Amino acid sequence: MIVWLNGTHGAGKTTTGALVQQLIPDSRVLDAEKVGETLMNITPGLPRTDNFQHWPPWRPLVVETARRVLDYTGGTLVMPMTVLVEEYWREISTGLAHYAIPVRHFVLHADQETLRRRIAGDTVTGPDSPFRLRHLEPYAEAARTWLHGEAEVVDTTHLTPAQAARQIAGALEE
């Protein structure tokens, strides 16, 4: 099984994902961003883009990486990764379904003010504010149009990452 943690920057995906992994026996965290980093390291570089998710190989490579890891280890993969383009989510979720891999899709949500405050105060990954702030409006649009209808929404505005992780782990037991 895959527990996909979606949401924009500052929602708490990375921190919550690590805590969810601790609550689920036989689970591992797979950061699909590392697949993107691999593509970014190809030399000479791939065509210029502002987001590695726009490269067509990224999505099937995420599916194949998850499938191969699950084939090897079994258990559950916790995947904290923002996907705001509906077509990309469909490609990934359809690819995983093709291999009969169940996915529980959660969106970690917070209001815009909270997200801006978290991004500005991030001491772990650094604020990288321009990049992260640029995703706030695309997230809001995705949330309004498709994302919140495709996933179980966990409002983290007033939750600690530990509380959000417990809520997700509890939902998995239902």
Side-chain angles (χ1 to χ4, degrees), residues 9-80:
H9 303 284
K13 295 178 308 298
T14 301
T15 304
T16 302
L19 295 168
V20 168
Q21 183 275 322
Q22 293 173 17
L23 296 172
I24 301 172
D26 195 26
S27 67
R28 291 165 177 74
V29 174
L30 172 60
D31 185 349
E33 191 160 324
K34 301 300 182 191
V35 175
E37 289 174 8
T38 297
L39 294 173
M40 291 186 328
N41 287 330
I42 292 174
T43 55
L46 297 176
R48 191 170 167 86
T49 182
D50 65 341
N51 186 334
F52 58 72
Q53 291 186 14
H54 299 320
W55 287 323
W58 179 77
R59 296 164 314 268
L61 285 170
V62 167
V63 171
E64 280 301 311
T65 302
R67 176 180 78 90
R68 297 289 179 155
V69 170
L70 284 171
D71 283 351
Y72 181 62
T73 64
T76 299
L77 289 180
V78 178
M79 296 183 66

Side-chain angles (χ1 to χ4, degrees), residues 101-143:
I101 300 170
V103 177
R104 287 290 295 270
H105 185 195
F106 294 88
V107 171
L108 303 186
H109 174 79
D111 63 52
Q112 294 281 314
E113 180 182 322
T114 299
L115 291 169
R116 289 179 188 283
R117 188 178 67 251
R118 288 178 184 169
I119 290 168
D122 188 338
T123 58
V124 176
T125 60
D128 189 18
S129 293
F131 174 81
R132 298 170 94 197
L133 291 172
R134 276 196 313 268
H135 286 85
L136 294 182
E137 184 49 41
Y139 166 73
E141 177 66 19

